[in-house]
């Protein structure tokens, strides 16, 4: 591929492969500025308010219907709640009464009234009522936008091909992007292992994150190229540059077609060593992608997405259906289900957990589950019931001490006993493993290996905790180094510890699908590589060309190197 001329280019982090070329859709929140104003004709002002309510209702109905078709009834339920707020006569009458009695503008009357309702709801004991505060806040914003004649951005309603430009996208924003129209996205902040980046790879949406200045430099409607392979974003390219990138896109498609030929093959190195290539998934819908991309199993099912983008916890039956559909969909292939890993960049607003200064180091994942045992037990019960549908394994996230593992395991055993007493069936041979994503656990892997059935190394977190570099922060992304000898030594400790006890070791952090890391991981003896489904075929094609015995030697060498640069150079030299 020839050198490509660059003009007005931003450099970010290549988050999701492939190239997208389309107009920019800037997702900035519009300013809703207004002050208090005396009005002369209150009847006219009330009419204006009612018209804004009517428009908001129409708009919400449209969003509701589109969401229902795309994401199902449960995800659309939030908009039913918004419609209820707009029909709440107590709120509407209070606004109109304020306009009339104080002779002030509808915007100000609405804001004051809804602030009053919000603080009232927020102080209620009942969790359901507390959640209504968020609905009132959202709806107020929408009505204000109509009163002020300002358009609210709504990525769900985009109906032409665009590239989203945003400061940041939450994982649930990303999940809601309409792939028919959203051709790619670029953000100011975020890293390769932010969950929005991981999700973009699953959805196969080209993305460049962490550009720092995309929202400043790109205007709504600019023509933009997002190159998710190199991490570049080109603003207002010439026709010639567009043609060059179209060629690059076509070359990439041809390369993908080559990889696709490997879909039904096993992953065997050139010297006959088999490893398992599995997919990381977030929802039952992702099973199709895992199969179509030749996944030999699911190495990480991030169940927290089942809990997100909704208003309350999923019931045991809802969870059972989701887990069963994944296990059945994989048709006997292994499925590693990770128990709830909420926290960090994955929030659950309806749990009303206190805001933390360091959410990645806080009350999250297994820590929360051991404390909020009702939530944990409901999930374990659903998992146990689904285990009869195929080959389900359970994995606990963020385990830092053996005590935590033992407690979590004891709770699982209690739930098994309860099910037995009720005569409900579950598999007797469920493997139980842990994520190794905290350095303390990697260092003590020899002790953990005696008690767990398997390890899955979570390098997304393991790297950030080892290097003390936030995985979401593009300013410290230079420290986020998977090929650092210190990370590789930790990985080796975990694999060796597992093997010594006759257990298997996998990896489900993004490093497992990283072309540069794969040769060393193969050499270190990793048994299972779990990655975004879209990386599997490329990884298989690479491993088939590698010789495990040579990679073992390479691994020995790089473990004794002192810098990432040396390691990278040694890998490049060994894998031509
Ligand atoms: C990890 O930390 O490597 C991992 C796979 O989990 P998550 O990305 O969901 O934190
Ligand atoms: Mg993690």
């Amino acid at each position: 591929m020839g050198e490509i001329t660059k003009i007005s280019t931003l450099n970010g982090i290549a988050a999701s492969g492939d190239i997208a070329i389309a107009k920019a859709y800037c997702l900035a929140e519009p300013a809703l500025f207004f002050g208090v104003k005396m009005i002369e004709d209150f009847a006219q002002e009330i009419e204006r308010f009612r018209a804004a309510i009517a428009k908001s209702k129409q708009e919400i109905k449209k969003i509701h219907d589109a969401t229902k078709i795309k994401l199902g009834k449960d995800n659309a339920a939030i908009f039913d709640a918004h419609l209820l707020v707009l029909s709440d006569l107590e709120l509407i009458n209070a606004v109109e009464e304020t306009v009339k009695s104080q002779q002030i503008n509808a915007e100000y009357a609405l804001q004051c009234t809804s602030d009053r309702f919000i603080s009232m709801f927020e102080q209620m004991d009942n969790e359901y009522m507390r959640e209504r505060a968020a609905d009132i806040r959202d709806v107020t914003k929408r009505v204000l936008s109509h009163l002020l004649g300002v358009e609210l951005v709504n990525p769900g309603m985009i109906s032409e091909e665009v590239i989203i430009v945003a400061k940041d996208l939450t994982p649930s924003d990303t999940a809601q992007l309409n792939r028919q129209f959203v051709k790619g996205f670029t953000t100011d902040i975020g890293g390769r292992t932010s969950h929005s980046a991981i999700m973009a790879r699953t959805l196969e949406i080209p993305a460049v994150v962490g550009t720092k200045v995309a929202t400043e430099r790109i205007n709504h409607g600019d023509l933009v190229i997002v190159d998710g392979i190199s991490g570049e974003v080109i603003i207002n390219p010439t026709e010639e540059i567009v043609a060059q990138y179209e060629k690059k896109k076509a070359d990439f498609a041809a390369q993908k077609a080559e990889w696709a030929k490997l879909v039904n093959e096993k992953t065997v190195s050139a010297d006959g060593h088999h490893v398992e290539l599995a997919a990381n998934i977030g929802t039952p819908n992702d099973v199709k992608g895992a199969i179509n991309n030749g996944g030999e199993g699911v190495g990480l099912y991030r169940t927290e997405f089942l809990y997100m983008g909704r208003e309350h916890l999923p019931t045991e039956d809802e969870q059972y259906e989701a887990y069963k559909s994944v296990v059945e969909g994989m048709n006997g292939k292994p499925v590693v289900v990770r128990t709830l890993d909420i926290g960090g960049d994955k929030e659950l607003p309806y749990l009303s957990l206190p805001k933390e200064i360091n959410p990645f180091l806080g009350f999250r994942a297994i820590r929360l589950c051991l404390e909020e045992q009702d939530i944990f037990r409901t999930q374990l019960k659903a998992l146990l019931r689904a285990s009869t549908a195929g080959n389900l394994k359970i994995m606990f996230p963020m385990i830092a001490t053996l005590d935590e593992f033992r407690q979590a395991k004891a709770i699982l055993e209690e739930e098994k006993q309860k099910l037995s007493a009720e005569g409900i069936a579950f598999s007797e041979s469920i493997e139980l493993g842990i994520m190794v994503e905290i350095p303390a656990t990697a260092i003590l892997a020899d002790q953990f290996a005696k008690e767990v059935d398997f390890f899955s190394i979570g390098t997304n977190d393991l790297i950030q905790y080892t290097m003390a570099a936030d995985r979401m922060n593009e300013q410290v992304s230079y420290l986020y180094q998977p090929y650092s000898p210190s990370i590789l030594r930790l990985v080796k400790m975990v694999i060796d510890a597992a093997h010594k006890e006759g257990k298997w070791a996998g990896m489900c952090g993004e490093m497992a699908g990283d072309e540069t890391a794969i040769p060393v991981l193969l050499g270190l003896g990793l048994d299972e590589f779990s990655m975004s489904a879209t990386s599997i075929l490329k990884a298989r094609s690479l491993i088939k060309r590698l010789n495990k015995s040579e990679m073992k030697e390479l691994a020995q060498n790089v473990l004794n190197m002192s810098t990432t640069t040396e390691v990278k150079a040694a890998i490049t030299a060994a894998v031509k």
Side-chain angles (χ1 to χ4, degrees):
M1 220 172 288
E3 206 14 54
I4 287 172
T5 335
K6 293 173 195 154
I7 57 150
S8 194
T9 300
L10 308 180
N11 286 303
I13 297 163
S16 173
D18 212 342
I19 287 160
I21 307 172
K23 293 250 166 77
Y25 185 99
C26 293
L27 254 193
E29 284 267 309
L32 298 171
F33 289 129
F34 58 87
V36 60
K37 257 194 339 209
M38 299 308 288
I39 45 128
E40 284 173 7
D41 185 345
F42 73 81
Q44 200 183 342
E45 191 65 3
I46 287 174
E47 267 322 300
R48 204 166 68 83
F49 174 61
R50 289 182 183 169
I53 296 266
K55 277 192 199 151
S56 303
K57 276 188 182 166
Q58 268 173 14
E59 202 171 57
I60 295 173
K61 277 188 191 137
K62 251 165 96 182
I63 302 174
H64 171 274
D65 293 348
T67 309
K68 191 167 156 192
I69 292 169
K70 199 149 58 81
L71 296 167
K73 205 165 106 236
D74 286 351
N75 285 300
I78 182 158
F79 300 109
D80 286 323
H82 286 191
L83 285 171
L84 277 181
V85 174
L86 283 177
S87 306
D88 180 352
L89 288 180
E90 233 181 293
L91 178 82
I92 308 281
N93 289 344
V95 177
E96 296 190 359
E97 197 41 50
T98 312
V99 170
K100 190 171 164 188
S101 62
Q102 299 185 28
Q103 304 270 315
I104 57 167
N105 51 332
E107 289 89 343
Y108 198 74
L110 169 62
Q111 188 70 71
C112 296
T113 312
S114 67
D115 282 351
R116 194 154 47 78
F117 274 71
I118 288 168
S119 73
M120 196 168 79
F121 277 110
E122 276 178 345
Q123 280 162 30
M124 290 187 179
D125 284 340
N126 179 319
E127 189 178 317
Y128 177 80
M129 297 310 274
R130 277 202 307 272
E131 286 163 16
R132 302 284 68 78
D135 295 336
I136 298 175
R137 198 172 281 119
D138 261 25
V139 168
T140 301
K141 212 161 71 180
R142 189 168 301 283
V143 179
L144 281 174
S145 77
H146 285 294
L147 283 169
L148 295 163
V150 174
E151 204 185 327
L152 274 192
V153 285
N154 180 0
M157 297 304 283
I158 292 171
S159 56
E160 58 174 344
E161 294 195 351
V162 294
I163 283 171
I164 301 265
V165 180
K167 207 162 196 39
D168 188 19
L169 283 179
T170 64
S172 51
D173 286 338
T174 314
Q176 288 181 44
L177 296 178
N178 183 344
R179 286 167 67 195
Q180 189 187 349
F181 298 118
V182 176
K183 295 292 145 192
F185 71 79
T186 181
T187 57
D188 290 350
I189 64 174
R192 207 184 132 73
T193 60
S194 311
H195 283 95
S196 50
I198 292 172
M199 198 165 274
R201 286 195 280 285
T202 304
L203 296 171
E204 287 196 77
I205 300 178
V208 173
V209 300
T211 59
K212 300 192 181 87
V213 290
T215 55
E216 223 175 86
R217 301 273 296 279
I218 302 173
N219 297 312
H220 198 75
D222 279 351
L223 183 67
V224 172
I225 300 176
V226 165
D227 183 344
I229 304 167
S230 70
E232 287 168 315
V233 177
I234 298 108
I235 309 163
N236 289 325
T238 60
E239 274 178 27
E240 202 189 340
I241 293 173
V242 170
Q244 288 171 351
Y245 274 89
E246 268 164 358
K247 160 114 186 24
K248 190 172 175 187
K249 191 172 167 58
D251 289 347
F252 186 64
Q255 174 72 81
K256 278 210 303 202
E258 271 307 303
W259 291 331
K261 293 180 185 157
L262 302 176
V263 68
N264 293 318
E265 294 198 12
K266 286 236 170 276
T267 315
V268 183
S269 67
D271 53 349
H273 179 81
H274 175 250
V275 290
E276 187 179 301
L277 292 195
N280 291 348
I281 65 166
T283 73
N285 290 340
D286 299 339
V287 167
K288 211 165 113 217
I291 300 280
N292 292 346
N293 284 288
E296 292 164 80
V298 166
L300 169 64
Y301 173 10
R302 289 185 166 94
T303 56
E304 46 281 3
F305 291 110
L306 191 61
Y307 294 68
M308 290 162 65
R310 51 188 294 153
E311 304 239 295
H312 49 77
L313 289 163
T315 63
E316 181 187 317
D317 280 344
E318 272 177 84
Q319 295 191 52
Y320 165 69
E321 290 302 333
Y323 306 149
K324 182 163 87 96
S325 103
V326 169
V327 173
E328 279 179 353
M330 289 309 292
N331 205 6
K333 291 180 173 149
V335 174
V336 180
V337 189
R338 176 173 75 183
T339 58
L340 182 64
D341 180 11
I342 214 64
D345 61 338
K346 293 171 290 195
E347 292 182 11
L348 282 191
Y350 58 80
L351 281 191
S352 308
L353 295 167
K355 271 254 169 282
E356 296 183 322
I357 297 175
N358 283 313
F360 272 104
L361 298 180
F363 184 54
R364 54 172 293 199
I366 200 70
R367 305 165 182 191
L368 184 141
C369 284
L370 291 176
E371 196 64 36
E372 304 283 339
Q373 287 197 11
D374 286 350
I375 298 177
F376 192 38
R377 287 177 188 273
T378 304
Q379 180 171 39
L380 293 176
K381 246 196 278 173
L383 284 170
L384 288 169
R385 284 171 55 202
S387 66
T388 56
N391 187 357
L392 180 145
K393 305 173 197 286
I394 297 178
M395 173 162 76
F396 300 135
M398 290 289 289
I399 292 283
T401 66
L402 259 163
D403 233 27
E404 281 176 340
F405 173 71
R406 288 174 186 156
Q407 271 183 61
K409 183 174 173 178
I411 294 173
L412 178 68
E413 291 307 318
E414 280 171 27
E415 291 310 315
K416 281 185 184 171
Q417 277 169 17
K418 281 190 217 159
L419 285 186
S420 295
E422 290 170 44
I424 297 172
F426 58 89
S427 161
E428 296 290 346
S429 56
I430 303 172
E431 285 186 25
L432 183 60
I434 59 166
M435 302 260 319
V436 182
E437 49 189 340
I438 296 178
T441 309
I443 293 164
L444 208 63
D446 57 331
Q447 299 304 317
F448 278 97
K450 294 179 184 149
E451 303 193 25
V452 304
D453 295 321
F454 65 90
F455 289 135
S456 187
I457 309 172
T459 46
N460 301 342
D461 280 318
L462 185 65
I463 298 171
Q464 79 164 343
Y465 297 137
T466 307
M467 306 299 285
D470 185 342
R471 67 195 258 192
M472 304 278 290
N473 185 340
E474 66 290 345
Q475 296 210 273
V476 293
S477 63
Y478 74 98
L479 284 169
Y480 199 88
Q481 299 169 344
Y483 331 116
S484 147
S486 43
I487 301 296
L488 297 174
R489 286 186 189 193
L490 285 176
V491 169
K492 178 180 163 49
M493 285 171 78
V494 178
I495 298 173
D496 287 352
H499 291 173
K500 188 154 173 262
E501 297 294 332
K503 312 286 169 70
W504 61 271
M507 178 179 286
C508 59
E510 291 300 303
M511 184 175 171
D514 179 324
E515 274 186 290
T516 310
I518 286 174
V520 177
L521 298 175
L522 181 72
L524 289 174
L526 191 72
D527 302 295
E528 179 236 36
F529 298 61
S530 194
M531 58 192 76
S532 306
T534 47
S535 305
I536 291 176
L537 292 169
K538 187 178 179 185
R540 180 167 299 153
S541 140
L542 170 63
I543 292 173
K544 283 172 92 69
R545 283 182 276 128
L546 300 175
N547 220 304
K548 173 151 185 214
S549 55
E550 284 170 24
M551 294 307 114
K552 206 168 163 183
E553 235 174 83
L554 168 72
Q556 274 310 329
N557 289 340
V558 297
L559 284 168
N560 292 316
M561 291 179 174
S562 40
T563 66
T564 300
T565 317
E566 286 170 63
V567 172
K568 272 206 263 188
I571 299 173
T572 314
V575 184
K576 286 187 204 91

